[in-house]
Amino acid sequence: MRQVSRRFPLILLAFLLAFLWSPPRAQAQYFGQNKVQYKAFKFEVLKTDHFDIYFYEQEREGASRVGRMAERWYARLSQVFDHDMRTRQPLVLYASHPDFEQTNIIGGMVGEGTGGVTEGLKRRVVLPLAGSLQETDHVLGHELVHAFQYDISAQRAQSGGGGGGLGSGIENLPLWFVEGLAEYLSIGPVDPHTAMWLRDATHKEKLPQIKDLDHSEYFPYRWGQAVWAYVGGKYGDDLVGQIFRDAVRSGSPLTALENATAIKDKELSANWHADIRSQYGPVMSATAQPHTLARTLTERGGVRMATNVSPSI
């Protein structure tokens, strides 16, 4: 009896260890199964020169349009990156955002604000048809930039260039660099949302250094686009592929920018700031501030109506 009592804790310990090790395997088996499936999607495949587009009957006409847009994006991005995809590019298309939210191609829940996703393991682009062709084209272009980024990164890793450390993939690069490039190449150098951020920072004299864009206070999409718009406008888009490859290799966007422009990051930031001020300085000086037109209605003691303002009719 004593021998049995001594072995029992060991058996219990072995059972607990086996139980604790089981969840990762269970999660892998049930990948994506926590999403509610409201529809049974019967996907077909539309093949173009470079794409396999997965669609279902409800979006047949839209799939043909997306195929033409995708090929135009491929022609442009392959030239910008000086790169051709090693394999055909999969593109999974949904007819609406509620349908898109049911996808099990990616793990986790898809939020309402997510316009599209590029899955890195198999380089699959997943997106819904948006409310307008313009928005669909923008999201498609943005995600295809990521597809090229993944393919370039994976090719370098397979060739042994990544070394398994820094620079072995785009996961080591900051969001402003990766997402900013996708925004710049998909909507161009001029964007009203980015302009809003730049005008506000110019007015408050709070333009950030490029090296500080990793901080969470700087929205990576807008500030990253602003940096790439300056670099592309000043030095040409021919450097885009070179800068990205250099950043993948070194793991440092600042090093890649310095190598391409032959300017240190501090001077590059100063030149970037000067360019921003030259654009928005005249706008700020020509735009009157509210206090120059009217008197504030709020005071320390509360709120009162201004006596020199006539009521509107």
Side-chain angles (χ1 to χ4, degrees):
M1 292 296 294
R2 292 181 180 177
Q3 292 180 352
V4 173
S5 63
R6 290 174 182 172
R7 291 179 181 178
F8 181 77
L10 295 177
I11 296 174
L12 178 60
L13 178 61
F15 175 77
L16 289 175
L17 289 175
F19 178 80
L20 290 174
W21 277 105
S22 62
R25 292 193 294 271
Q27 289 177 358
Q29 293 171 0
Y30 293 96
F31 176 79
Q33 296 303 309
N34 59 334
K35 295 182 181 178
V36 178
Q37 299 287 322
Y38 299 99
K39 296 181 180 180
F41 301 105
K42 297 181 180 180
F43 281 99
E44 302 178 42
V45 182
L46 172 64
K47 291 184 177 293
T48 65
D49 290 343
H50 301 95
F51 293 86
D52 291 333
I53 302 176
Y54 295 82
F55 70 100
Y56 44 95
E57 181 61 33
Q58 185 178 349
E59 52 182 356
R60 184 176 297 275
E61 183 178 352
S64 299
R65 293 177 179 174
V66 170
R68 292 192 292 269
M69 290 189 291
E71 288 294 342
R72 287 198 295 266
W73 277 117
Y74 187 96
R76 182 193 175 197
L77 296 177
S78 61
Q79 181 178 3
V80 170
F81 284 105
D82 190 21
H83 177 81
D84 283 309
M85 296 288 193
R86 296 166 300 155
T87 58
R88 295 179 61 80
Q89 173 62 44
L91 198 162
V92 183
L93 194 63
Y94 287 89
S96 65
H97 205 283
D99 286 359
F100 170 54
E101 293 175 21
Q102 299 173 57
T103 184
N104 57 10
I105 293 175
I106 55 175
M109 307 304 291
V110 178
E112 293 182 0
T114 303
V117 177
T118 302
E119 179 265 329
L121 184 61
K122 296 184 179 180
R123 210 185 65 222
R124 292 173 292 186
V125 171
V126 190
L127 75 155
L129 293 173
S132 66
L133 285 176
Q134 180 181 8
E135 182 60 22
T136 299
D137 191 51
H138 166 221
V139 175
L140 177 62
H142 182 105
E143 298 306 327
L144 287 179
V145 172
H146 289 325
F148 272 89
Q149 291 171 334
Y150 276 121
D151 197 62
I152 293 171
S153 178
Q155 186 179 45
R156 178 160 186 82
Q158 289 182 1
S159 65
L166 286 177
S168 62
I170 65 173
E171 67 275 4
N172 298 303
L173 301 177
L175 281 179
W176 72 262
F177 186 80
V178 175
E179 297 291 353
L181 179 57
E183 282 291 89
Y184 169 62
L185 292 179
S186 61
I187 59 179
V190 180
D191 175 64
H193 297 94
T194 299
M196 176 181 65
W197 288 73
L198 296 179
R199 286 197 304 268
D200 185 65
T202 302
H203 172 64
K204 296 180 178 179
E205 298 184 354
K206 291 185 177 181
L207 292 172
Q209 298 288 315
I210 296 177
K211 65 180 180 63
D212 295 329
L213 293 180
D214 292 356
H215 296 171
S216 59
E217 61 182 299
Y218 301 113
F219 189 45
Y221 286 73
R222 305 278 67 86
W223 286 108
Q225 182 198 9
V227 172
W228 279 108
Y230 171 73
V231 172
K234 179 73 173 180
Y235 302 97
D237 286 344
D238 293 341
L239 287 181
V240 168
Q242 173 188 334
I243 293 172
F244 182 77
R245 285 184 177 83
D246 196 1
V248 170
R249 181 177 59 254
S250 65
S252 171
L254 292 181
T255 299
L257 288 170
E258 289 178 348
N259 291 340
T261 62
I263 298 176
K264 293 296 183 182
D265 69 283
K266 188 174 183 179
E267 182 180 355
L268 185 63
S269 292
N271 294 342
W272 175 46
H273 293 172
D275 183 76
I276 294 174
R277 293 190 182 98
S278 68
Q279 294 183 52
Y280 297 106
V283 176
M284 302 306 302
S285 61
T287 304
Q289 298 300 314
H291 69 270
T292 64
L293 301 176
R295 181 160 51 86
T296 180
L297 299 181
T298 60
E299 290 187 348
R300 184 174 302 176
V303 179
R304 65 180 180 83
M305 293 298 297
T307 58
N308 61 343
V309 178
S310 300
S312 60
I313 299 176

